[in-house]
C-alpha cells in the first residue's frame, strides 16, 4: 500500500527539517523519495504538523511489576474504562492501563515505539507475553542486569570480557534491548533488607562497589557495541541530597567517553536531583545538575516529570519503594527475584499543595529547560512513577509556554516556588525542540536507525497533529497545543493509518525488537551456565530462555561485538 | 524409547521443572525426580474416565457427536445467552486463557477462575495492603526462618520443602535435611522404645519427652534454617518441623494480631492467645525478629477459615511490621498449577484477577457481586462454560442447582461431575503432557509446559476448542446484527 502525506509542516530533527512544507511518501511500510500520486492514498496535511511517530525511551508498560500494580489497584481501574468496540478490545486505565488500552492510548497520542525499561530476566517470558498483547506500537525491553550474580562475580574478578559474553548471551536469551542498571549494588543488598548509600559502598557478599558496577557495565556496553548506552537508575534515588550522588555517578563515567558519543543514559533524572538534608529542607538540585550536563557531552537523560495526580510507583529499586511505603503507610508490594533483582510498588498521589511534590514537579521542568541541548534530555514521566503517559501533552504545554508553567506553579504550595528557580526560567521550547525530546532525540539515543525520523528508508511511522505552526503562537495558545498532542489527527504506523482524529481505525500489532549480539569467540557460556544453573536459579536451563513462541512478531537487530 | 528432560510438572503451584520422562510408543513409561502426585499424573492420566469424543445431550442423555456439531451448539448457547459464566481456567495454559478472555468479552459474560473458592481471599487481602514477597529461589538462597501457616506442603506440594525452602541448598543458607534425618531416626527410635515398654513388665516406665515441647526448643535459637508450622492439626509437615504451634480452629486472626502487637513491643494482658501461652508467643516473635530472612507460606487453612480475607490482611500486615525489624516475606501456596497464570493473564488483559464481568462492554470487578458463586446464588446467569474444573463437585449446592438448570458447556480431558450434568462436553488434550503452553509458578515465575506425547486422535487442545467456539460465536452474532 502506498500513502502520500501532502503539504504538511514537517518537523524531522534528525534530518534537520524544521517546519518545512513538504510531502512524505510511504511505500511498503517505509519512507520513500516519491510515489505516484494516482496509486496512493493521499492525506491532505495542509495546515497540519507532521512529525515522525513518537518514541518513548522509558515507560513501564509490561511485565511482572506492572501487572502486580494492576492487580493491586482495582480502585485505579474503576474510574477509567474503555468499552469494547467493533475494532478494539475493552480494558481499563488509569495509571496502569491493561495491555490493549495501553497500545490504543499511546497510538492516539501519535506514539509508535515504546521502550519498556525494566524486565527481570527470570520473568522475561511474562514481559514478552504482555508486550505481545500491546497493539499499535513497536516495543522493546531492557533486562535488569546491574545486580545479576554473574555480573557481580565477573566484575569482582575483573574479567570484563567474560562479563560481556554473559551479557550478550542474556540479551539473546531474554530478548532484551539494552542493559538496565537500577540502584547498582542496592538490589543485592536488599536481599537481606539493606541498601547501599553511596557509589563507593561495598555490596554485601560481593567485593564490588556500585561505581565498579556502573563503570564495568559501561565498558561492557562499549565492547558489545550495543545501540543504546547503559540505562541507569542512580543510587540514592528519591532521597533528599541525592544530587551529589548523581553528580558523582556522572563524573565517574567521564573518563569512559572516548569520542563525543554518550556512554550512559541517566533515567528519570528528576528523582535524582534533590538537595537538602531531609524532606523538610528538600529543594531543587536541578541547577547544579544542569550546569554539569551543559559542560559535558557523555550523557543523555530523561525527565521523569511528576504530574499532580494519583498514580502507582513501581521500580526494581526495592529499598526505595520500602522507604516510600514507610513514608506513606500505603499498600506495598515487594518482589525480589533470585540472583537478579528486586522490585516494589506503592500507590502515590502527587499533590499540588504538598511542598515536596510541588518541588518535584518544578525540578523535572527545570532540568528539561536548564539543560540547553534538547538532544540530551527527553520527555518522560517514568510512566507510571511520575504520572501516566497520557499526561505527556500537559508536559509539552509546560515546556513550550511559560504562561502554562506559571499557571500551574501559582496553584502549588507557596513555599515550593522558592525551592526551585523554575519561575525565573524564560525558555520556551519550539515545536522543533518538542519533536527532539519526544522522537528524534530518543530514537538517536536508542540507536534506532529506522525510527524517529522521516528520511528515506525509515519506518513509515508518522504522527500528524492538528497544529498550524504558521498561525499559532505556542506560548499563548498552549491549550490548543495540549489538545492537539492528546488526540493525533492521524497516527500512521508502517504506512497504515491506525488513528484518525483520536479514534482507532484499525488494530495492528507492532514488532518486538531485540538484540542478537554476535561475539568473535564462539560462545562457551551454555556449558558453564548449565553447571551453575541449578545452584543459582530454581528453574532448569532449558526452561529459562524466551523462545520465539513468546513474541507475536519480532524484529531482531544483529550487533557485531568487538570481543 | 526417548528420554525427555526438563519437563514442567502440571500438577501443583510448585511447577517443578526438572522432571525426566521416559517415553515409549507414545506413552509415558517412567517418571524421574517427580513426587507421587506428579508420577500418578504422568502415568495415570490415560485413565478410564478419559473422554475421547465430544458429547451432546439429546433427550436427556449424553451421546457422542462430531466436533463441528458440538462447536455449533456451544456457540449457539453462548451467543444467545445474556449473562453466561465462563469458569475454571486454573488447570489450562495461559495461551488458552487468553482466548478465554476474548470469548468472555465477546459474549458479555462473567469470567472467573477457581481462585474464587480458593485463594480469592488472598487476592482481596493483597488489594487491601499489598504483599512483600519474592521468588522461591530467594527463599532457597536466603531464608533462615520458614513458617508454613495453614498449609501442609508435605502432602499437597510435596517437593516444596525440598526444592525451595528448608531442605534446599542455597548460596547463603544450607540444607537442613541431615538434621531432619536424625530427627526421623530419633522419632522412630522413640516409637520402638514405647512399643517395647508396653510389652515389658516394668511398673514405672521412664517418661519419654514429647516430640514437640510447648515452648520453642533450644535449637530454635541456633544458626541455620528453622522450620515452624502453624496449623489446627498435626500435619505431615508439622512432623518434620522444628516447632509446631497448634492454633485453635478459627483463631488464626487473633493469633496474628497478638504477634503483631508483640512485634510492636506491646504487652499482652492475657495468659494465652488461641490456645498458646503468651511466653511462648514472645519467644516466637523474638525468633521472627532475630532471623535474617523470614518467610510465611500460607494456605487454605488461612484463606477459608473464619475471617477469610481479613486473615490474609493481618498476615500481610504482620509481615509488613516485621520488615521494620528484619527482612520478611509472605507467599500464598497456590494449588492448581496455573491458577497464578490465570490471575496474571486476566489482570494484564482486563485489569482484574478474577470475577471479571463484561456485561457492560468493559471489564468490571466487584467480588461478592461479579464472582461466579454469587452470580449463581442470585440465579442471574443463563448459561455457563466450564473449562478444566469441576464446580458441580465443589460449589455450594444452591449454586450448583442453578448452574445445571441452564445450558452448560464443559471442556475437560476427563468425565467429571460437571460434565455428567453438561449439555455439551468437549474432550481436550492434557496441558503439559499432550499439548504445550505456559504456566505461572506460585511466585509468578513463568515456565514453559512441554508437549511430551501426542493427544489421542481428534482430541484438540483447550486453546483450539475455544478458538473454534469464539469464531463460531462471532459468526452467529454477526448474523444476529445483520438480521436486526
Amino acid at each position: 500500500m502506498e500513502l502520500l502525506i501532502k503539504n504538511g509542516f514537517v518537523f524531522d530533527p534528525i534530518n534537520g527539517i524544521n517546519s518545512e512544507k513538504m510531502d512524505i511518501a510511504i511505500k511498503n511500510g517505509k519512507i520513500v523519495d516519491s510515489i505516484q500520486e494516482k496509486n496512493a492514498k493521499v492525506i491532505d496535511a495542509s495546515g497540519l504538523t507532521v512529525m515522525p511517530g513518537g518514541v518513548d525511551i522509558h515507560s513501564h508498560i509490561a511485565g511482572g511489576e506492572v501487572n502486580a500494580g494492576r492487580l493491586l489497584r482495582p480502585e485505579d481501574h474503576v474510574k477509567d474504562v474503555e468499552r469494547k468496540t467493533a475494532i478494539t478490545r475493552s480494558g481499563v486505565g488509569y495509571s496502569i492501563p491493561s495491555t490493549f488500552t495501553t497500545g490504543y492510548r499511546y497510538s492516539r497520542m501519535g506514539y509508535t515505539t515504546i521502550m519498556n525499561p525494566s524486565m527481570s530476566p527470570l520473568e522475561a517470558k511474562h514481559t514478552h507475553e504482555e508486550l505481545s498483547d500491546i497493539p499499535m506500537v513497536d516495543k522493546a525491553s531492557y533486562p535488569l542486569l546491574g545486580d545479576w550474580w554473574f555480573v557481580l562475580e565477573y566484575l569482582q574478578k575483573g574479567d570484563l570480557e567474560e562479563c560481556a559474553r554473559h551479557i550478550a548471551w542474556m540479551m539473546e536469551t531474554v530478548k532484551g534491548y539494552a542493559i538496565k542498571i537500577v540502584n547498582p549494588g542496592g538490589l543485592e543488598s536488599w536481599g537481606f533488607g539493606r541498601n547501599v548509600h553511596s557509589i563507593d559502598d561495598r555490596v554485601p557478599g560481593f567485593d564490588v562497589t556500585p561505581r565498579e558496577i556502573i563503570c564495568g557495565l559501561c565498558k561492557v556496553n562499549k565492547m558489545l557495541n550495543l545501540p543504546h548506552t547503559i540505562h541507569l537508575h542512580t543510587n540514592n534515588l528519591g532521597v533528599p541530597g541525592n544530587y551529589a550522588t548523581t553528580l558523582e555517578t556522572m563524573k565517574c563515567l567521564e573518563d569512559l567517553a572516548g569520542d563525543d558519543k554518550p556512554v550512559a543514559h541517566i533515567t528519570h533524572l528528576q528523582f535524582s536531583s534533590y538537595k537538602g538534608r531531609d524532606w523538610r529542607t528538600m529543594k531543587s538540585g536541578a541547577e547544579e545538575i544542569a550546569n554539569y550536563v551543559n559542560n559535558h557531552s557523555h550523557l543523555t537523560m530523561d525527565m521523569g516529570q511528576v504530574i499532580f495526580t494519583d498514580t502507582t510507583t513501581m521500580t526494581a529499586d526495592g529499598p526505595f519503594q520500602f522507604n516510600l511505603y514507610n513514608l506513606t503507610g500505603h499498600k506495598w508490594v515487594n518482589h525480589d527475584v533470585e540472583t537478579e533483582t528486586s522490585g516494589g510498588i506503592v500507590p502515590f498521589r502527587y499533590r499540588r499543595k504538598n511542598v515536596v511534590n510541588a518541588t518535584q514537579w518544578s525540578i523535572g521542568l527545570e532540568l528539561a529547560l536548564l539543560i540547553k541541548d534538547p538532544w540530551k534530555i527527553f520527555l518522560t514521566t517514568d510512566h507510571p512513577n511520575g504520572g501516566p503517559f497520557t499526561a505527556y501533552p500537559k508536559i509539552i504545554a509546560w515546556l513550550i509556554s511559560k504562561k502554562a508553567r506559571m499557571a500551574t506553579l501559582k496553584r502549588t504550595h507557596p513555599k515550593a516556588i522558592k525551592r526551585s528557580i523554575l519561575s525565573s526560567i524564560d525558555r520556551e521550547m519550539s515545536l522543533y525542540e518538542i519533536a527532539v525530546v519526544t522522537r528524534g532525540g530518543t530514537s538517536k539515543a536508542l540507536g534506532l536507525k529506522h525510527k524517529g525520523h522521516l528520511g528515506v528508508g525509515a519506518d513509515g511511522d508518522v504522527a500528524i497533529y492538528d497544529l498550524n505552526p504558521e498561525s499559532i503562537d505556542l506560548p499563548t495558545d498552549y491549550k490548543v497545543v495540549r489538545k492537539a498532542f492528546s488526540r493525533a489527527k492521524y497516527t500512521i504506523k508502517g504506512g497504515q493509518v491506525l488513528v484518525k482524529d483520536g479514534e482507532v481505525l484499525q488494530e495492528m500489532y507492532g514488532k518486538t525488537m531485540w538484540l542478537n549480539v554476535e561475539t568473535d569467540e564462539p560462545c562457551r557460556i551454555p556449558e558453564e551456565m548449565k553447571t551453575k544453573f541449578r545452584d543459582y536459579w530454581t528453574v532448569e536451563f532449558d526452561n529459562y530462555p524466551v523462545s520465539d513462541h513468546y513474541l507475536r512478531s519480532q524484529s531482531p537487530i544483529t550487533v557485531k561485538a568487538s570481543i | 524409547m526417548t528420554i525427555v528432560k526438563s519437563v514442567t510438572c502440571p500438577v501443583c503451584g510448585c511447577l517443578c521443572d526438572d522432571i525426566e520422562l521416559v517415553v515409549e510408543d507414545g506413552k509415558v513409561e517412567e517418571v524421574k525426580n517427580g513426587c507421587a502426585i506428579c508420577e500418578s499424573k504422568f502415568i495415570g492420566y490415560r485413565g478410564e474416565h478419559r473422554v475421547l469424543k465430544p458429547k451432546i445431550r439429546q433427550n436427556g442423555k449424553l451421546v457422542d457427536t462430531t466436533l463441528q456439531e458440538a462447536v455449533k451448539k456451544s456457540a449457539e448457547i453462548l451467543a444467545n445467552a445474556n449473562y453466561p459464566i465462563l469458569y475454571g481456567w486454573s488447570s489450562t495454559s495461559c495461551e488458552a486463557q487468553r482466548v478465554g478472555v476474548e470469548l468472555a468479552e465477546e459474549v458479555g459474560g462473567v469470567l472467573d477462575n477457581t481462585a474464587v473458592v480458593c485463594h480469592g481471599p488472598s487476592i482481596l487481602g493483597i488489594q487491601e495492603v499489598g504483599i512483600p514477597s519474592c521468588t522461591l529461589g530467594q527463599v532457597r538462597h536466603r531464608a533462615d526462618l520458614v513458617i508454613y501457616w495453614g498449609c501442609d506442603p508435605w502432602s499437597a506440594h510435596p517437593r516444596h520443602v525440598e526444592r525451595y525452602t528448608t531442605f534446599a541448598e542455597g548460596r547463603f543458607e544450607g540444607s537442613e535435611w541431615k538434621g531432619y534425618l536424625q530427627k526421623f531416626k530419633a522419632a522412630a527410635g522413640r516409637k520402638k522404645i514405647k512399643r517395647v515398654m508396653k510389652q515389658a513388665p516394668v511398673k514405672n516406665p521412664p517418661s519419654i519427652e514429647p516430640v514437640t515441647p510447648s515452648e520453642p526448643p533450644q535449637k530454635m535459637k541456633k544458626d541455620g534454617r528453622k522450620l515452624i508450622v502453624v496449623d489446627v492439626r498435626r500435619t505431615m509437615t508439622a512432623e518434620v518441623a522444628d516447632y509446631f504451634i497448634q492454633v485453635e480452629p478459627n483463631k488464626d486472626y487473633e493469633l496474628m494480631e497478638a504477634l503483631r502487637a508483640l512485634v510492636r513491643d506491646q504487652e499482652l494482658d492475657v495468659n494465652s492467645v488461641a490456645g498458646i501461652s503468651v511466653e511462648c508467643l514472645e519467644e516466637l516473635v523474638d525468633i521472627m525478629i532475630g532471623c535474617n530472612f523470614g518467610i510465611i507460606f500460607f494456605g487454605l487453612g488461612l484463606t477459608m477459615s473464619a475471617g477469610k480475607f481479613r486473615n490474609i490482611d493481618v498476615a500481610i500486615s504482620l509481615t509488613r511490621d516485621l520488615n521494620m525489624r528484619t527482612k520478611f516475606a509472605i507467599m500464598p501456596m497456590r494449588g492448581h498449577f496455573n491458577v497464578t497464570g490465570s490471575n496474571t493473564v486476566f489482570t494484564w488483559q482486563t485489569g482484574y484477577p478474577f470475577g471479571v464481568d463484561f456485561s457492560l462492554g468493559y471489564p468490571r470487578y466487584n467480588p461478592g457481586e461479579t464472582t461466579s458463586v454469587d452470580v449463581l446464588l442470585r440465579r442471574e446467569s443463563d448459561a455457563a462454560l466450564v473449562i478444566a474444573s469441576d464446580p458441580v463437585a465443589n460449589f455450594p449446592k444452591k449454586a450448583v442447582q442453578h448452574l445445571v438448570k441452564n445450558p452448560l458447556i464443559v471442556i475437560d480431558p476427563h468425565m467429571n461431575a460437571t460434565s455428567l450434568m453438561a449439555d455439551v462436553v468437549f474432550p481436550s488434550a492434557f496441558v503439559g503432557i499432550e499439548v504445550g503452553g505456559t504456566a505461572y509458578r506460585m511466585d509468578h515465575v513463568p515456565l514453559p509446559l512441554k508437549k511430551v506425547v501426542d493427544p489421542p486422535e481428534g482430541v484438540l487442545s483447550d486453546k483450539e476448542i475455544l478458538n473454534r467456539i469464539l469464531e463460531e460465536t462471532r459468526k452467529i452474532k454477526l448474523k444476529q446484527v445483520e438480521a436486526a
Side-chain angles (χ1 to χ4, degrees):
Chain A
M1 200 191 116
E2 300 180 7
L3 184 73
L4 186 66
I5 302 160
K6 283 186 76 172
N7 282 328
F9 294 97
V10 175
F11 292 84
D12 179 7
I14 287 186
N15 294 310
I17 296 166
N18 185 2
S19 196
E20 274 176 45
K21 222 177 205 182
M22 58 192 282
D23 297 347
I24 301 290
I26 305 173
K27 191 177 175 181
N28 297 333
K30 299 271 177 192
I31 309 267
V32 291
D33 221 11
S34 62
I35 46 173
Q36 290 206 324
E37 200 176 327
K38 61 175 184 203
N39 299 335
K41 180 183 160 69
V42 177
I43 291 177
D44 180 15
S46 320
L48 302 176
T49 294
V50 177
M51 289 184 181
V55 179
D56 198 336
I57 197 165
H58 190 108
S59 170
H60 299 261
I61 52 171
E65 217 166 80
V66 176
N67 212 39
R70 287 190 194 107
L71 183 137
L72 184 69
R73 300 207 65 197
E75 75 278 13
D76 178 76
H77 311 321
V78 71
K79 60 194 177 191
D80 181 14
V81 296
E82 295 249 354
R83 258 170 213 285
K84 170 183 158 44
T85 70
I87 300 155
T88 61
R89 299 283 302 269
S90 66
V92 294
Y94 161 74
S95 65
I96 346 147
S98 53
T99 49
F100 308 118
T101 304
T102 302
Y104 305 142
R105 289 190 176 175
Y106 259 117
S107 198
R108 283 183 195 135
M109 298 196 318
Y111 273 76
T112 50
T113 307
I114 316 297
M115 294 287 154
N116 181 58
S118 121
M119 165 166 84
S120 65
L122 181 62
E123 295 171 354
K125 290 185 203 75
H126 182 177
T127 308
H128 284 292
E129 280 198 293
E130 280 195 30
L131 286 178
S132 291
D133 269 349
I134 295 180
M136 321 298 272
V137 291
D138 287 336
K139 50 246 161 175
S141 204
Y142 315 150
L144 291 151
L145 297 172
D147 287 70
W148 182 26
W149 283 358
F150 279 90
V151 165
L152 298 180
E153 282 167 1
Y154 280 111
L155 291 180
Q156 192 180 331
K157 274 193 229 160
D159 190 348
L160 281 182
E161 285 206 359
E162 208 45 49
C163 182
R165 278 188 202 103
H166 277 77
I167 298 237
W169 173 84
M170 191 58 118
M171 282 296 165
E172 198 267 322
T173 302
V174 303
K175 307 286 185 273
Y177 187 80
I179 300 174
K180 175 80 184 291
I181 308 170
V182 172
N183 185 7
L187 306 192
E188 170 52 34
S189 316
W190 182 239
F192 283 118
R194 293 189 284 269
N195 196 1
V196 291
H197 301 286
S198 86
I199 64 168
D200 292 310
D201 280 9
R202 296 252 146 222
V203 181
F206 296 87
D207 193 25
V208 285
T209 61
R211 181 193 294 272
E212 286 160 8
I213 300 174
I214 298 166
C215 294
L217 286 177
C218 185
K219 287 176 195 159
V220 162
N221 203 80
K222 274 188 152 182
M223 285 177 179
L224 295 175
N225 298 323
L226 303 189
H228 187 35
T229 57
I230 52 167
H231 199 94
L232 178 64
H233 159 136
T234 59
N235 297 104
N236 283 335
L237 181 125
V239 178
N242 63 7
Y243 83 107
T245 314
T246 309
L247 283 174
E248 249 183 285
T249 309
M250 291 173 161
K251 279 177 196 155
C252 85
L253 290 162
E254 259 173 44
D255 306 337
L256 300 175
D259 37 15
D260 224 18
K261 275 202 208 146
V263 292
H265 179 88
I266 313 269
T267 192
H268 36 72
L269 187 58
Q270 177 272 129
F271 290 106
S272 305
S273 307
Y274 304 156
K275 256 178 162 175
R277 288 182 312 281
D278 50 29
W279 289 114
R280 224 163 38 81
T281 56
M282 175 264 200
K283 57 182 181 177
S284 166
E287 214 182 338
E288 284 79 357
I289 302 259
N291 278 340
Y292 178 86
V293 173
N294 283 333
N295 291 314
H296 293 84
S297 59
H298 64 292
L299 299 165
T300 57
M301 287 136 286
D302 63 86
M303 291 164 74
Q305 176 62 30
V306 153
I307 307 295
F308 297 120
T309 187
D310 183 16
T311 191
T312 314
T313 66
M314 53 180 68
T315 77
D317 195 344
F320 162 72
Q321 293 291 352
F322 177 67
N323 290 341
L324 198 60
Y325 149 61
N326 277 338
L327 216 56
T328 60
H330 217 316
K331 309 191 217 187
W332 169 52
V333 170
N334 183 72
H335 187 68
D336 295 351
V337 179
E338 61 209 57
T339 84
E340 291 167 0
T341 178
S342 75
I345 303 162
V346 178
F348 196 85
R349 178 182 277 279
Y350 294 101
R351 295 169 195 276
R352 270 188 291 125
K353 295 295 182 192
N354 175 307
V355 62
V356 170
N357 298 161
T359 310
Q360 288 178 304
W361 174 83
S362 308
I363 294 171
L365 294 173
E366 270 184 291
L367 288 167
L369 295 164
L370 289 173
I371 294 173
K372 289 176 194 147
D373 183 357
W375 295 91
K376 284 183 184 171
I377 183 156
F378 314 123
L379 190 157
T380 65
T381 57
D382 184 16
H383 164 82
N385 286 299
F389 63 82
T390 42
Y392 286 179
K394 282 189 197 174
I395 304 174
I396 293 175
W398 289 323
L399 292 175
I400 57 160
S401 159
K402 181 164 187 184
K403 194 176 150 200
R405 295 199 287 273
M406 291 314 285
T408 309
L409 189 60
K410 251 195 330 216
R411 298 175 66 215
T412 61
H413 194 287
K415 276 187 188 162
I417 300 173
K418 292 182 203 137
R419 295 195 178 190
S420 78
I421 57 163
L422 184 64
S423 57
S424 70
I425 301 174
D426 292 326
R427 180 173 168 202
E428 289 174 332
M429 283 192 182
S430 63
L431 276 180
Y432 182 78
E433 284 173 311
I434 292 298
V436 176
V437 300
T438 55
R439 44 266 285 166
T442 46
S443 151
K444 189 178 162 207
L446 287 164
L448 293 169
K449 292 199 181 83
H450 303 294
K451 306 259 173 215
H453 71 103
L454 299 173
V456 171
D459 289 348
D461 301 351
V462 186
I464 306 177
Y465 298 107
D466 191 3
L467 278 178
N468 187 337
E470 274 187 347
S471 62
I472 199 170
D473 177 37
L474 295 175
T476 46
D477 295 337
Y478 67 87
K479 287 183 181 167
V480 178
V481 177
R482 196 162 65 197
K483 199 174 156 206
F485 278 100
S486 18
R487 284 167 66 90
K489 184 84 182 157
Y490 292 93
T491 304
I492 295 148
K493 170 109 196 42
Q496 306 272 334
V497 180
L498 298 188
V499 168
K500 190 181 175 208
D501 294 320
E503 297 301 327
V504 176
L505 290 189
Q506 63 165 311
E507 193 184 66
M508 177 185 162
Y509 281 87
K511 292 193 165 73
T512 303
M513 297 174 281
W514 58 274
L515 299 182
N516 179 17
V517 188
E518 286 177 352
T519 45
D520 278 347
E521 207 178 299
C523 195
R524 63 179 166 84
I525 287 157
E527 273 58 53
E528 193 208 332
M529 277 276 185
K530 270 180 196 164
T531 54
K532 277 192 181 173
F533 218 85
R534 284 197 177 165
D535 293 341
Y536 281 40
W537 282 280
T538 51
V539 302
E540 294 291 295
F541 179 78
D542 294 344
N543 292 330
Y544 190 80
V546 176
S547 60
D548 288 349
H549 170 74
Y550 293 96
L551 296 104
R552 191 188 284 252
S553 144
Q554 55 177 315
S555 151
I557 297 167
T558 303
V559 179
K560 194 91 189 70
S562 44
I563 49 156
Chain B
M1 190 184 86
T2 46
I3 295 172
V4 193
K5 287 187 177 174
S6 309
V7 177
T8 308
C9 163
V11 175
C12 75
C14 283
L15 280 188
C16 307
D17 69 335
D18 59 344
I19 312 296
E20 280 181 41
L21 299 178
V22 180
V23 180
E24 224 174 327
D25 298 335
K27 279 183 192 171
V28 180
E29 291 296 343
E30 207 184 325
V31 183
K32 284 181 190 161
N33 296 342
C35 64
I37 314 178
C38 163
E39 196 168 325
S40 85
K41 172 135 190 184
F42 276 115
I43 299 286
Y45 74 94
R46 329 177 282 265
E48 49 184 313
H49 299 295
R50 185 78 195 260
V51 209
L52 294 173
K53 279 228 147 78
K55 291 178 196 299
I56 202 159
R57 191 167 295 275
Q58 271 172 4
N59 305 325
K61 270 193 177 155
L62 278 176
V63 291
D64 283 359
T65 182
T66 60
L67 189 69
Q68 285 78 2
E69 202 53 41
V71 167
K72 208 175 143 219
K73 177 78 184 158
S74 310
E76 272 167 17
I77 291 173
L78 289 173
N80 293 322
N82 280 320
Y83 197 45
I85 290 177
L86 293 90
Y87 174 83
W89 308 109
S90 301
S91 294
T92 187
S93 65
C94 293
E95 286 76 4
Q97 289 156 1
R98 280 156 88 170
V99 183
V101 180
E102 208 169 347
L103 181 62
E105 190 186 74
E106 186 64 42
V107 299
V110 166
L111 180 72
D112 203 2
N113 80 340
T114 56
V116 74
V117 289
C118 184
H119 269 286
S122 310
I123 293 170
L124 300 186
I126 292 166
Q127 287 172 339
E128 290 284 307
V129 283
I131 184 167
S133 194
C134 58
T135 62
L136 289 166
Q138 199 75 351
V139 180
R140 188 186 112 193
H141 287 304
R142 297 175 200 265
D144 56 347
L145 176 65
V146 177
I147 302 174
Y148 287 106
W149 195 309
C151 56
D152 184 14
W154 206 259
S155 311
H157 297 84
R159 294 183 73 206
H160 197 268
V161 180
E162 157 205 336
R163 256 173 83 80
Y164 306 122
T165 66
T166 321
F167 290 1
E169 191 72 40
R171 187 182 188 115
F172 303 105
E173 288 292 335
S175 166
E176 289 290 323
W177 70 270
K178 272 186 190 160
Y180 290 94
L181 212 62
Q182 281 173 352
K183 202 176 138 184
F184 265 134
K185 278 184 187 159
R190 270 197 300 271
K191 256 188 193 167
K192 215 173 184 177
I193 296 170
K194 242 186 186 170
R195 206 171 56 233
V196 174
M197 292 290 189
K198 260 188 194 165
Q199 291 165 352
V202 182
K203 273 191 181 165
N204 295 317
S207 66
I208 303 161
E209 67 167 301
V211 183
T212 36
S214 58
E215 278 181 21
Q218 275 302 310
K219 66 179 167 207
M220 292 299 289
K221 287 166 192 159
K222 281 185 201 155
D223 285 347
R225 295 196 202 252
K226 297 166 235 22
L227 179 63
I228 297 177
V229 169
V230 186
D231 213 314
V232 291
R233 68 180 77 83
R234 183 175 275 281
T235 59
M236 292 290 278
T237 318
E239 293 291 343
V240 298
D242 292 306
Y243 186 37
F244 168 56
I245 296 168
Q246 191 156 15
V247 57
E248 288 173 6
N250 291 329
K251 294 272 178 78
D252 300 272
Y253 187 90
E254 271 179 69
L255 184 57
M256 291 271 192
E257 282 292 18
L259 291 174
R260 281 190 77 189
L262 292 171
V263 170
R264 290 168 173 241
D265 291 327
Q266 288 166 10
E267 303 284 339
L268 297 184
D269 293 334
V270 289
N271 292 328
S272 74
V273 179
I276 299 134
S277 76
V278 169
E279 287 78 28
C280 201
L281 291 181
E282 281 167 352
E283 283 195 42
L284 178 65
V285 161
D286 286 347
I287 293 167
M288 287 165 118
I289 292 172
C291 76
N292 293 322
F293 185 115
I295 179 144
I296 301 173
F297 291 100
F298 63 92
L300 295 195
L302 214 51
T303 66
M304 283 295 155
S305 59
K308 293 209 164 177
F309 84 95
R310 289 291 170 204
N311 289 341
I312 313 306
D313 185 333
V314 74
I316 297 173
S317 300
L318 171 65
T319 315
R320 279 156 66 104
D321 292 349
L322 281 163
N323 268 291
M324 299 296 169
R325 316 290 290 268
T326 180
K327 177 92 180 178
F328 231 91
I330 181 165
M331 196 187 297
M333 296 284 277
R334 305 304 297 267
H336 293 290
F337 72 89
N338 201 21
V339 61
T340 313
S342 65
N343 292 144
T344 304
V345 171
F346 294 176
T347 305
W348 88 57
Q349 295 206 341
T350 74
Y352 306 116
F354 67 103
V356 191
D357 179 344
F358 286 102
S359 60
L360 296 180
Y362 56 84
R364 225 163 51 82
Y365 167 74
N366 189 14
E369 184 205 337
T370 62
T371 30
S372 48
V373 177
D374 304 275
V375 172
L376 288 168
L377 289 177
R378 289 197 310 271
R379 302 202 200 105
E380 285 177 348
S381 66
D382 55 357
L385 180 146
V386 172
I387 178 164
S389 172
D390 189 10
V392 167
N394 295 306
F395 273 14
K397 192 177 162 198
K398 285 215 166 127
V400 172
Q401 278 170 352
H402 187 72
L403 179 75
V404 301
K405 213 175 76 188
N406 290 305
L408 179 60
I409 306 157
V410 172
I411 305 174
D412 206 290
H414 286 132
M415 277 313 259
N416 57 28
T418 311
S419 26
L420 290 174
M421 310 293 278
D423 297 285
V424 187
V425 179
F426 286 95
S428 66
F430 272 95
V431 177
I433 305 176
E434 296 170 343
V435 58
T438 309
Y440 283 68
R441 203 162 71 180
M442 59 169 74
D443 56 351
H444 291 264
V445 171
L447 282 162
L449 301 165
K450 274 205 175 86
K451 178 185 167 173
V452 188
V453 295
D454 288 325
E457 215 185 309
V459 173
L460 301 180
S461 68
D462 293 329
K463 183 186 166 189
E464 186 57 38
I465 295 167
L466 289 165
N467 259 329
R468 291 192 184 194
I469 297 177
L470 175 64
E471 208 178 302
E472 193 64 31
T473 310
R474 283 200 170 131
K475 273 188 206 159
I476 297 174
K477 287 211 134 186
L478 200 68
K479 270 185 207 156
Q480 285 171 345
V481 172
E482 277 166 5

